[in-house]
Amino acid sequence: MLFDTHAHLEDEMFDEDRDQLIRELPEKGVAYVVNVGSTLEASRMSVELATQYPFIYAAVGIHPHEVAQMNREALDAIEAMAKRDKVVAVGEVGLDYYYDFSPRELQKEWFDWQIDLAYNMRLPIIIHDRDAHADVLDILKAKKDKILGGVMHCYSGSWEMAKYFMDLGLYISLGGPVTFKNAKRPVEIAQKVPLDRLVIETDSPYLAPTPYRGRRNNPAYVRLVAEKIAEIRGMALEEIANITLDNAKKLFKIK
Ligand code: NI
């Protein structure tokens, strides 16, 4: 059985078949999904999905893309949601310098605030880092006493950098890109990451693994990510599945 640590099943791309698709996940080998917030509304819907389905858990938070649209009251709303049942993390939070949809200074402020929020709620953080590795690391290092675990979601940085993130107690999550034909960095990470630091994800509906690249992703495809990592490491799929499931349960404190 597999644990998809990062999906956005509230996305409108699932509007037509969401319930059926989710109900079929257990028979496709998916035991757990963390549905991750990006806006206030998406965070609310994450909590809603976690209420509705026993194997879905929720993360609540504001994505760096969205922070320019937010006021401080949004932070209070996230805090209130973080207290709800089955909310296991604050996320996704972080920095995105690839798209720069929000001013960088504002992204940093919100990242900082949401780390504090997670600390106050005693929750781990789900970190989005795109082309901002050095600044993400700087902020995390400066706040390391306030980090109660977390994960580098769909990690795309170097192995050198990954070691610093792991030193801060963070897990490294690999997704669809590790299966892509030209993948280099994620493959190196898959080879080198200590097995007790590795978790897997889909980031559905985005980043579908090969052979579904470019199409809608869904949590059942997390199996293709696990298969690729198993192949890279010369291990059995079941081993990678079991190890990453146990790690994710520890990360999100799921009994
Ligand atoms: Ni995401």
Side-chain angles (χ1 to χ4, degrees), residues 6 8 36 63 92 153 203:
H6 196 113
H8 303 279
V36 181
H63 191 290
E92 56 192 289
H153 130 69
D203 204 16

Side-chain angles (χ1 to χ4, degrees), residues 31-61:
Y32 298 93
V33 177
V34 171
N35 201 81
V36 181
S38 49
T39 63
L40 271 186
E41 186 52 23
S43 296
R44 268 188 212 108
M45 289 166 81
S46 272
V47 176
E48 184 60 36
L49 287 169
T51 310
Q52 226 179 321
Y53 303 95
F55 54 91
I56 296 186
Y57 289 77
V60 296

Side-chain angles (χ1 to χ4, degrees), residues 58-246:
V60 296
I62 306 296
H63 191 290
H65 284 344
E66 310 290 337
V67 297
Q69 268 61 257
M70 295 291 147
N71 52 35
R72 284 297 295 261
E73 281 85 76
L75 209 57
D76 299 331
I78 291 292
E79 184 167 336
M81 284 189 256
K83 293 174 182 159
R84 297 278 302 273
D85 243 18
K86 292 181 80 190
V87 174
V88 293
V90 170
E92 56 192 289
V93 301
L95 305 176
D96 193 309
Y97 293 174
Y98 180 78
Y99 287 109
D100 275 326
F101 285 162
S102 302
R104 291 183 179 183
E105 284 315 306
L106 201 58
Q107 292 189 38
K108 288 183 194 171
E109 246 176 357
W110 272 85
F111 188 23
D112 195 90
W113 292 338
Q114 292 186 96
I115 292 171
D116 288 345
L117 193 159
Y119 177 75
N120 293 335
M121 296 291 115
R122 297 289 179 270
L123 290 172
I125 46 179
I126 296 172
I127 299 162
H128 173 101
D129 164 12
R130 186 132 189 228
D131 288 0
H133 311 310
D135 280 3
V136 167
L137 185 59
D138 279 350
I139 291 173
L140 292 173
K141 273 183 173 166
K143 302 194 70 95
K144 68 175 190 305
D145 296 336
K146 290 193 159 182
I147 294 165
L148 307 171
V151 55
M152 297 303 294
H153 130 69
C154 201
Y155 184 69
S156 58
S158 67
W159 167 243
E160 291 309 310
M161 206 66 127
K163 289 189 272 191
Y164 290 111
F165 291 121
M166 289 187 288
D167 283 344
L168 292 165
L170 301 173
Y171 286 82
I172 303 293
S173 181
L174 293 177
V178 75
T179 70
F180 294 171
K181 216 166 75 184
N182 301 323
K184 285 198 182 73
R185 278 180 159 185
V187 170
E188 186 186 4
I189 298 296
Q191 279 162 347
K192 293 181 175 171
V193 64
L195 286 172
D196 63 355
R197 294 282 97 193
L198 173 68
V199 295
I200 53 177
E201 65 170 274
T202 58
D203 204 16
S204 300
Y206 313 107
L207 294 175
T210 304
Y212 302 108
R213 189 172 182 182
R215 292 201 247 161
R216 185 183 74 170
N217 202 357
N218 85 80
Y221 295 165
V222 76
R223 182 194 182 90
L224 295 161
V225 175
E227 270 174 5
K228 185 68 191 183
I229 296 170
E231 179 197 316
I232 290 167
R233 296 188 75 116
M235 293 172 67
L237 169 63
E238 289 68 30
E239 286 178 282
I240 293 295
N242 290 338
I243 289 166
T244 52
L245 185 138
D246 285 347

